[in-house]
């Protein structure tokens, strides 16, 4: 005979006995015909029979993935009894296994706790291994023309467990020939920044995004964009890797654009970062590109774009532009701050921060930058390249204990 009737309930007279207070003595019946069909009938149970969470009345035909529950008990393994399958479990064995399963779950919570703890520890260990040895390994090469720096030695990223405070020293900007001009620009630059914090209007992240959108529109009108290929993918990969290492991120949604231009430049606004093809080609490695991108990220993170918008709120666009022109040297400390914070991102992301030193040496040659001049220093928006290189070396040595110059 190729059909089967299985009785389920709390009474020992059932084929499947479920010792649960929510299950009636004779709760439900399962009927299997010779063609592999299964039918379920509720026997007027007190707490109901449920299929996929819905209470049934009378009889229903079951589908392969239906979940059957009697009252609040564990799901019933009804599919084990479909007789059309070649491997059929004997009713008595299934009854014994099923009931023992329920008893073990009811009487052995310690086993469940141990298993749960074991799984949790395994997940934590796996996450640690991935975080330390996979995610933080040397970045993959996307653009074959931009390999990672070949230096065998480079600063090691700081141990996150130590939570070491990184110090930012700007005294390296001073020069014995500056006649105090560097100190003056630093003092007035600090006063300007504090004034914006105190008297500047409220600038939201959305306000910054809108400025970034306007800049993007202007660039699309002026430049051709490269939006696919190895170069573009490479920039996106570096950006994502750096942004992941921000310690206390403001919460910007960063995007990056590669634009065709003969200018040796990179710039940003509203979390949108623009890199010219000339700058991309000028950088010899992913590490150097990471230094450039890390610098631009920090113009946003350190509030430099926000401060400019606050100026415009107080002085108007024309007034802010005039103010910026008259106080242009005040921005030198901000530029250096972006260099140093950018180096921290670069090292944390697995790139070689030491390349920032040679990068600025080459920048000096490329831009035909002359020797330090105190008068010229008062009208420069960026520090001299020599200063930026030496400040980078000092920062790495003081905070990471690595001497890039000698190694």
């Amino acid at each position: 005979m190729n059909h089967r009737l299985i009785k389920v309930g709390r009474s020992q007279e059932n084929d499947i006995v479920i010792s649960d207070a929510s299950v009636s003595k004779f709760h439900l019946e399962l009927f299997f015909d010779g063609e592999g069909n299964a039918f379920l009938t509720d026997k007027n149970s007190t707490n109901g029979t449920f299929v996929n969470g819905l209470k049934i009345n009378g009889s229903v035909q079951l589908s392969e993935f239906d979940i059957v529950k009697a009252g609040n008990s564990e799901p019933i393994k009804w599919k084990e009894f479909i007789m059309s399958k070649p491997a059929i479990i004997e009713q008595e064995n299934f009854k014994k296994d099923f009931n023992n399963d329920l008893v073990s779950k009811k009487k052995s919570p310690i086993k469940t706790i141990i298993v749960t703890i074991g799984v949790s520890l395994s997940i934590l260990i796996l996450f640690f291994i991935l975080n330390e040895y996979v995610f933080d390994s040397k970045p993959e090469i996307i653009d074959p023309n931009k390999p990672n720096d070949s230096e065998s030695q480079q600063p090691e990223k700081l141990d996150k467990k130590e939570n070491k405070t990184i110090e930012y020293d700007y005294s390296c900007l001073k020069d014995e020939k500056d006649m105090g001009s560097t100190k003056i620009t630093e003092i007035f630059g600090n006063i300007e920044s504090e004034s914006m914090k105190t008297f500047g209007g409220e600038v939201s992240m959305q306000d910054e995004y809108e400025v970034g959108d306007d800049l993007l529109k202007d660039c699309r009108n002026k430049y051709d964009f490269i939006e696919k290929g190895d170069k573009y993918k490479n920039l996106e990969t570096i950006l994502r890797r750096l942004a992941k290492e921000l310690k206390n991120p403001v919460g910007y949604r960063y995007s990056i654009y590669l634009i065709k231009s003969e200018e040796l430049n990179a710039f940003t606004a509203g979390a949108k970062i623009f890199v010219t093809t000339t700058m991309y080609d000028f950088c010899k490695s992913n590490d150097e590109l990471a230094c450039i991108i890390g610098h631009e990220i920090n113009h946003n993170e350190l509030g430099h774009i926000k401060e400019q918008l606050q100026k415009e709120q107080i002085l108007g666009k024309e007034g802010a532009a005039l103010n910026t022109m008259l106080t242009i040297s005040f921005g030198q400390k901000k530029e250096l701050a972006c260099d140093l914070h950018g180096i921290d991102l670069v090292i944390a992301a697995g790139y070689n921060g030491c390349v920032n030193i040679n990068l600025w040496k080459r920048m000096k040659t490329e831009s035909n930058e002359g020797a330090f001049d105190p008068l010229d220093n008062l009208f420069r928006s960026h520090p001299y390249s020599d200063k930026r290189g030496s400040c980078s070396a000092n920062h790495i040595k003081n905070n990471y204990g690595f001497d890039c110059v000698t190694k």
Side-chain angles (χ1 to χ4, degrees), residues 158-169 247-248 341 344 395-401:
L158 299 177
D159 190 339
K160 295 178 182 178
K161 296 179 182 178
E162 293 181 2
N163 199 25
K164 180 181 177 181
T165 301
I166 298 178
E167 297 181 358
Y168 299 94
D169 181 14
K247 281 190 174 181
N248 299 297
H341 282 81
D344 296 330
H395 180 75
I396 293 173
K397 186 174 183 179
N398 294 336
N399 290 285
Y400 297 87

Side-chain angles (χ1 to χ4, degrees), residues 147-380:
N148 295 322
D149 189 81
S150 59
E151 290 286 338
S152 58
Q153 289 185 306
Q154 66 184 65
E156 294 184 4
K157 60 183 178 181
L158 299 177
D159 190 339
K160 295 178 182 178
K161 296 179 182 178
E162 293 181 2
N163 199 25
K164 180 181 177 181
T165 301
I166 298 178
E167 297 181 358
Y168 299 94
D169 181 14
Y170 302 102
S171 62
C172 55
L173 286 176
K174 296 178 183 178
D175 192 280
E176 59 182 11
K177 300 177 182 178
D178 66 13
M179 297 186 297
S181 61
T182 302
K183 185 65 176 178
I184 292 172
T185 57
E186 181 181 358
I187 292 173
F188 281 99
N190 290 338
I191 292 174
E192 182 185 54
S193 294
E194 290 303 318
S195 297
M196 288 303 106
K197 291 178 183 178
T198 305
F199 303 109
E202 184 64 30
V203 174
S204 67
M205 189 176 292
Q206 185 58 40
D207 292 332
E208 294 188 60
Y209 284 149
E210 289 176 4
V211 172
D213 290 339
D214 290 340
L215 178 59
L216 177 59
K217 290 178 183 177
D218 290 341
C219 287
R220 287 200 180 279
N221 290 330
K222 185 177 179 180
Y223 305 103
D224 290 327
F225 281 59
I226 298 175
E227 298 179 294
K228 59 182 179 180
D230 291 342
K231 291 183 178 181
Y232 176 70
K233 291 179 182 178
N234 193 36
L235 289 179
E236 280 197 320
T237 301
I238 295 172
L239 173 64
R240 287 196 302 269
R241 195 174 180 98
L242 293 175
K244 184 176 77 76
E245 297 300 333
L246 287 167
K247 281 190 174 181
N248 299 297
V250 176
Y252 294 108
R253 301 187 305 273
Y254 285 101
S255 55
I256 195 162
Y257 305 89
L258 180 61
I259 57 178
K260 293 182 180 181
S261 172
E262 294 181 0
E263 298 175 32
L264 182 63
N265 198 13
F267 50 94
T268 184
K272 289 179 170 59
I273 298 172
F274 300 84
V275 178
T276 66
T277 49
T278 300
M279 175 63 81
Y280 186 95
D281 295 336
F282 179 78
C283 293
K284 293 183 175 180
S285 64
N286 278 334
D287 306 73
E288 291 188 356
L289 283 170
C291 288
I292 297 297
I293 298 171
H295 176 100
E296 300 304 327
I297 287 175
N298 279 288
H299 270 308
N300 294 276
E301 295 292 324
L302 298 178
H304 299 163
I305 313 301
K306 180 178 181 179
E307 187 175 316
Q308 181 61 30
L309 293 180
Q310 289 174 323
K311 278 187 187 181
E312 292 181 5
Q313 286 184 350
I314 297 173
L315 305 173
K317 287 190 176 182
E318 292 77 10
L322 179 60
N323 173 268
T324 300
M325 185 172 65
L326 294 175
T327 62
I328 191 168
S329 61
F330 295 180
Q332 291 189 25
K333 182 179 177 181
K334 294 176 184 176
E335 293 295 334
L336 180 59
C338 289
D339 283 349
L340 304 186
H341 282 81
I343 285 173
D344 296 330
L345 280 184
V346 165
I347 294 175
Y351 297 101
N352 188 352
C354 286
V355 302
N356 204 51
I357 301 168
N358 287 327
L359 178 63
W360 286 110
K361 286 182 179 179
R362 298 199 339 268
M363 287 279 195
K364 177 181 179 179
T365 302
E366 185 71 17
S367 60
N368 297 315
E369 187 180 287
F372 182 88
D373 181 272
L375 183 60
D376 175 64
N377 192 46
L378 287 172
F379 298 96
R380 292 180 62 89

Side-chain angles (χ1 to χ4, degrees), residues 99-140:
N99 292 333
N100 287 342
D101 220 19
L102 289 176
V103 170
S104 66
K105 288 179 181 177
K106 295 289 182 182
K107 296 185 178 180
S108 305
I110 295 177
K111 181 179 179 182
T112 302
I113 294 172
I114 292 173
V115 171
T116 302
I117 293 174
V119 172
S120 299
L121 286 174
S122 299
I123 293 173
L124 288 173
I125 292 171
L126 178 62
F127 176 79
F128 173 79
I129 292 173
L130 290 173
N131 188 57
E132 292 296 319
Y133 300 103
V134 178
F135 296 142
D136 293 324
S137 60
K138 195 67 176 174
E140 63 177 322

Side-chain angles (χ1 to χ4, degrees), residues 2-44:
N2 291 328
H3 64 270
R4 197 167 205 174
L5 180 67
I6 306 296
K7 297 180 180 180
V8 180
R10 199 172 70 252
S11 171
Q12 293 295 323
E13 298 178 24
N14 289 287
D15 299 300
I16 297 177
V17 179
I18 304 178
S19 301
D20 188 296
S22 67
V23 177
S24 299
K25 288 184 178 180
F26 299 97
H27 198 103
L28 62 89
E29 290 180 349
L30 290 163
F31 177 76
F32 302 92
D33 64 19
E35 298 178 358
N37 298 311
F39 301 88
L40 171 67
T41 302
D42 179 74
K43 304 299 289 183
N44 296 317

